[in-house]
Amino acid sequence: MPDLPTDHSKATLEGAHSHGPARRYVSSRADRPASFDPAEIPAPGGREEEWRFTPMKRFKPLFDLDAVTAGTATDAVALSVDAPEGVTVETLAAGDPRLGTVGAPSDRTAVVAWNAVSQATAVTVTAGTELASAVRVTVAGSDSGLANPSALGLLVTAEAGSKGTVVIDHTGTAALTETVEVVVADGAELTLVTVQGWEDEAVHASNHRVRVEGRGTLKHVVVSLGGDVRVSPDLGFSGEGGHIDAFGVYFTDAGQHQEHRPYVAHTEASCYSRVTYKGALQGKNAHAVWVGDCYIGEHARGTDTYELNRNLVLTEGAKADSIPNLEIKNGNIAGAGHASATGRFDDEQLFYLEARGIPETEARRLVVLGFFNEIVAEIGVPEVEETLMGAIEQELALTGLLGAPDTASDTDAQA
């Protein structure tokens, strides 16, 4: 699993179930405690480094294992799968040996999700198959979702030589903590898209634990448009030559909290990763958090990695926190770096458009669409791209005359 113990041994990447007694929360993602035992990862108080940005009152129901276990037994959240030929869909009991092989949970909501479910859904793209259409996984919350905090487990596997796309859509209202395990076999190519299209009242925590084997290729896409969300993808490699592109798009409205914490663990030689997240914020108390971490271990020679986050603040009262972190323990790498920026509209772009007769409101709209289009075009799934751009247009329609804050911050680093 990408969450490595202090000795950074490969055994953890391949699924050790516990690292012994829980340790105090630490700032380094590589040194976090990880365990399948909820007693070893207690409920946080909110001052820990990994929880200090999160609205604890909103997410507190997802810390309670008994409440989430009881809620999972109800019909508050339903999962369904629409799969084309070449895909197998199974229901696995919680003790199935195929589950838990990627690694252990590393925060409270993740360990609660793991222990609250009695079964998980397994979606497998079979070896050598090239899918003609995407697998659609729908997670639908009901009107009773907030009263019944729930958990889901999902295992997505792309077998050797396969190529396909899996889209996970979240809709409705729910208080949901979720485990998504992903295995990309040597030579497989998988695009995994998760869309948080919740109603505003929803609360969602999701931990993606990912293993890319050998020369497997993963495109991992996170789209957050509704609800209070906290998505933590833990992305790791097993074997040389793996490739990960991780993209994120989010549009944070008034009163919403959207938090994304991608972590890439380079523990193998000659692996490649790019992390690119972009978000826009509008309205009072809109809060977006991006914490991007990359670890390059002692044996990860030839690593090539870069992480980027951009935030566009559209109105007064919105706030974005953007923190890139890079931990390098190997000087024999191809490249590593990060960039982070938060700011208002580009005045030069606005001036250019307005000087050509485009009204200010329309000019601002075009700037926002251009800001997102650069990354949306990289998704490579036409129906997802079309839906996403349509949703962004809808969000902009609610904005009216787009204002701009007076401050901006920018930090860049290259190793």
Side-chain angles (χ1 to χ4, degrees):
M1 149 99 209
D3 291 312
L4 304 174
T6 52
D7 65 357
H8 306 295
S9 65
K10 185 178 177 181
T12 304
L13 184 67
E14 294 177 345
H17 278 223
S18 174
H19 304 323
R23 292 167 283 166
R24 60 189 294 270
Y25 285 89
V26 292
S27 58
S28 172
R29 289 282 285 271
D31 290 333
R32 291 177 305 176
S35 175
F36 290 94
D37 183 355
E40 296 189 359
I41 306 180
R47 294 187 178 183
E48 299 83 359
E49 176 62 29
E50 64 188 278
W51 290 100
R52 65 188 179 97
F53 295 110
T54 308
M56 301 300 284
K57 287 185 178 180
R58 287 285 282 152
F59 283 82
K60 187 176 180 180
L62 303 183
F63 301 154
D64 187 336
L65 177 58
D66 290 338
V68 172
T69 301
T72 304
T74 71
D75 295 325
V77 177
L79 183 149
S80 60
V81 182
D82 182 10
E85 186 177 353
V87 176
T88 61
V89 180
E90 304 171 82
T91 299
L92 306 180
D96 193 287
R98 286 171 286 181
L99 299 172
T101 64
V102 180
S106 57
D107 73 26
R108 179 63 184 182
T109 58
V111 76
V112 167
W114 178 265
N115 285 275
V117 297
S118 60
Q119 61 186 32
T121 301
V123 176
T124 304
V125 184
T126 56
T129 299
E130 184 170 344
L131 298 185
S133 59
V135 181
R136 309 293 302 216
V137 179
T138 301
V139 177
S142 69
D143 292 339
S144 66
L146 291 179
N148 295 281
S150 305
L152 284 177
L154 180 65
L155 169 64
V156 178
T157 303
E159 294 183 339
S162 65
K163 183 177 181 180
T165 297
V166 177
V167 180
I168 309 171
D169 279 315
H170 300 86
T171 63
T173 303
L176 177 69
T177 179
E178 176 183 62
T179 295
V180 181
E181 297 181 272
V182 182
V183 179
V184 182
D186 188 10
E189 297 180 30
L190 175 68
T191 297
L192 179 73
V193 183
T194 175
V195 181
Q196 285 63 244
W198 299 106
E199 297 297 325
D200 290 344
E201 299 81 9
V203 181
H204 179 211
S206 185
N207 180 211
H208 293 203
R209 301 197 285 276
V210 176
R211 181 177 72 240
V212 175
E213 301 174 347
R215 295 188 177 275
T217 298
L218 172 68
K219 183 181 291 185
H220 184 272
V221 184
V222 176
V223 178
S224 295
L225 299 172
D228 287 349
V229 302
R230 189 178 195 267
V231 183
S232 302
D234 292 332
L235 312 169
F237 300 93
S238 177
E240 298 187 11
H243 186 117
I244 294 176
D245 284 303
F247 298 106
V249 177
Y250 49 94
F251 204 119
T252 312
D253 277 327
Q256 282 186 342
H257 177 89
Q258 295 181 341
E259 185 170 344
H260 303 91
R261 292 177 166 266
Y263 170 48
V264 183
H266 281 271
T267 58
E268 306 285 345
S270 304
C271 292
Y272 171 100
S273 70
R274 291 292 184 272
V275 177
T276 308
Y277 276 59
K278 284 190 172 185
L281 302 86
Q282 65 179 10
K284 184 178 180 181
N285 295 327
H287 188 198
V289 176
W290 181 87
V291 181
D293 288 281
C294 180
Y295 170 81
I296 302 175
E298 296 174 0
H299 305 292
R301 66 187 183 281
T303 291
D304 186 354
T305 183
Y306 197 87
E307 57 180 4
L308 169 71
N309 178 229
R310 294 281 187 260
N311 294 288
L312 187 59
V313 182
L314 303 179
T315 66
E316 297 286 353
K319 179 184 178 182
D321 288 292
S322 180
I323 304 175
N325 298 301
L326 188 58
E327 184 176 357
I328 304 174
K329 298 197 172 183
N330 183 346
N332 183 18
I333 61 176
H338 58 64
S340 169
T342 298
R344 59 183 177 85
F345 286 100
D346 187 318
D347 290 334
E348 290 187 4
Q349 289 181 328
L350 289 176
F351 177 79
Y352 178 87
L353 294 170
E354 290 181 64
R356 281 149 182 79
I358 299 175
E360 180 182 359
T361 301
E362 178 64 11
R364 291 180 182 275
R365 172 182 166 276
L366 292 175
V367 169
V368 175
L369 293 179
F371 171 79
F372 278 117
N373 187 66
E374 181 181 357
I375 188 171
V376 172
E378 294 287 342
I379 294 175
V381 184
E383 62 268 33
V384 173
E385 294 175 8
E386 184 177 342
T387 299
L388 179 53
M389 292 306 290
I392 292 170
E393 287 266 22
Q394 262 191 327
E395 296 285 353
L396 288 174
L398 299 175
T399 307
L401 183 60
L402 298 177
D406 295 327
T407 59
S409 63
D410 199 337
T411 60
D412 289 272
Q414 178 74 38

